Amino acid sequence: MQKTNLTYYLLLIVILAPNFTFADDSEKILSQLQKKYDGLKDATISFAQKMQFTVSKKEQSFVGKLTFKKGNKYKIEVGEQTIITNGKTVWTYSKSNKQVLVNDYQEEEDMLTPDKIMTALPKQFTSETIGKEKLGSLNTTVIKLFPKEKSSMQFMQAWVDESAWLMRKIQIHYLNGNTTTYSIDEIKLNTGISDSLFMFNAPKGVEVIDMR
């Protein structure tokens, strides 16, 4: 999978509230988040993404949808791009360029996928709860996460909905001063998503570039 797509996998992972290693006393949160993931088979997430660039002072905003099913199956739809994998093949479709790139799925050692959440993430981040905050009508706990190893990320904050034990907002702070904020509009869990959703058939007139 391409490195440029890893941010969206990270988004999926933190939204679904994995087993973070908290520095403070958060046993109740840990228990509830563990329970939430244990019962998870698939998820569909609608979100708004806002990117702020320090040097240019510019902002970019997108809306997107992220769908996943256990077994390394993903579908990411953001702007004019759609990325789909069934765990064996990856399709990267650009609607504006009328092209689809086809690659073999390769799980890199440092790639965080939902199937690796329970073991990988606690090893790569330390976390602490930094307070309570009202997010619209929701009561949330704000969590701050720091990467243990060298990374382009300085830290990340996540807002946990205490009523459903799901992430509702994520803000990633990078070392270069840029920030990316995800606001979660809707989350649907365990709806019985078909495997056929994670296959791609090129529309008529689309160039297929097979990189395998």
Side-chain angles (χ1 to χ4, degrees):
M1 200 73 69
Q2 299 176 14
K3 289 275 188 182
T4 53
N5 301 331
L6 295 185
T7 298
Y8 297 111
Y9 296 110
L10 183 60
L11 165 65
L12 177 57
I13 288 166
V14 295
I15 289 172
L16 298 175
N19 183 14
F20 295 121
T21 304
F22 289 96
D24 52 354
D25 184 15
S26 304
E27 293 183 3
K28 180 180 179 181
I29 293 178
L30 284 172
S31 175
Q32 293 296 330
L33 302 185
Q34 177 81 55
K35 188 183 299 183
K36 176 67 70 172
Y37 182 78
D38 285 346
L40 189 66
K41 296 179 180 178
D42 59 59
T44 302
I45 301 156
S46 298
F47 63 91
Q49 176 185 356
K50 182 179 180 180
M51 303 170 68
Q52 297 172 294
F53 303 95
T54 300
V55 175
S56 64
K57 306 297 182 182
K58 292 183 178 180
E59 294 184 357
Q60 289 183 353
S61 297
F62 307 92
V63 292
K65 186 164 79 170
L66 190 58
T67 307
F68 106 96
K69 186 175 183 179
K70 281 187 176 177
N72 291 327
K73 299 179 177 71
Y74 313 96
K75 182 175 183 180
I76 305 164
E77 300 167 90
V78 178
E80 295 286 301
Q81 188 178 64
T82 299
I83 304 162
I84 301 174
T85 180
N86 58 4
K88 296 179 180 179
T89 303
V90 183
W91 296 268
T92 303
Y93 171 50
S94 172
K95 187 175 181 180
S96 58
N97 294 334
K98 295 185 177 180
Q99 286 184 339
V100 57
L101 301 180
V102 186
N103 279 287
D104 289 323
Y105 175 84
Q106 294 182 344
E107 186 173 307
E108 300 172 18
E109 186 177 350
D110 61 347
M111 180 183 291
L112 297 175
T113 64
D115 291 332
K116 292 168 65 177
I117 290 174
M118 305 314 297
T119 57
L121 205 60
K123 296 177 183 178
Q124 298 191 23
F125 287 88
T126 56
S127 312
E128 60 182 10
T129 53
I130 60 175
K132 307 283 186 178
E133 188 172 320
K134 199 82 170 179
L135 200 62
S137 61
L138 299 174
N139 294 315
T140 68
T141 297
V142 186
I143 301 169
K144 199 169 187 178
L145 302 99
F146 301 90
K148 291 182 179 180
E149 298 182 358
K150 187 176 180 180
S151 168
S152 61
M153 181 196 304
Q154 183 180 12
F155 66 90
M156 176 169 59
Q157 287 188 191
W159 285 252
V160 182
D161 174 4
E162 297 174 2
S163 63
W165 299 105
L166 292 168
M167 299 293 182
R168 294 296 181 176
K169 180 179 175 182
I170 301 104
Q171 190 169 75
I172 303 172
H173 296 255
Y174 297 96
L175 292 174
N176 61 10
N178 296 344
T179 61
T180 300
T181 303
Y182 297 96
S183 299
I184 313 307
D185 298 322
E186 184 178 30
I187 304 176
K188 296 180 181 179
L189 305 178
N190 296 332
T191 59
I193 297 171
S194 172
D195 287 345
S196 63
L197 183 69
F198 307 100
M199 299 290 294
F200 183 82
N201 295 313
K204 187 176 179 180
V206 169
E207 181 185 8
V208 178
I209 303 175
D210 198 327
M211 308 292 287
R212 293 173 291 183

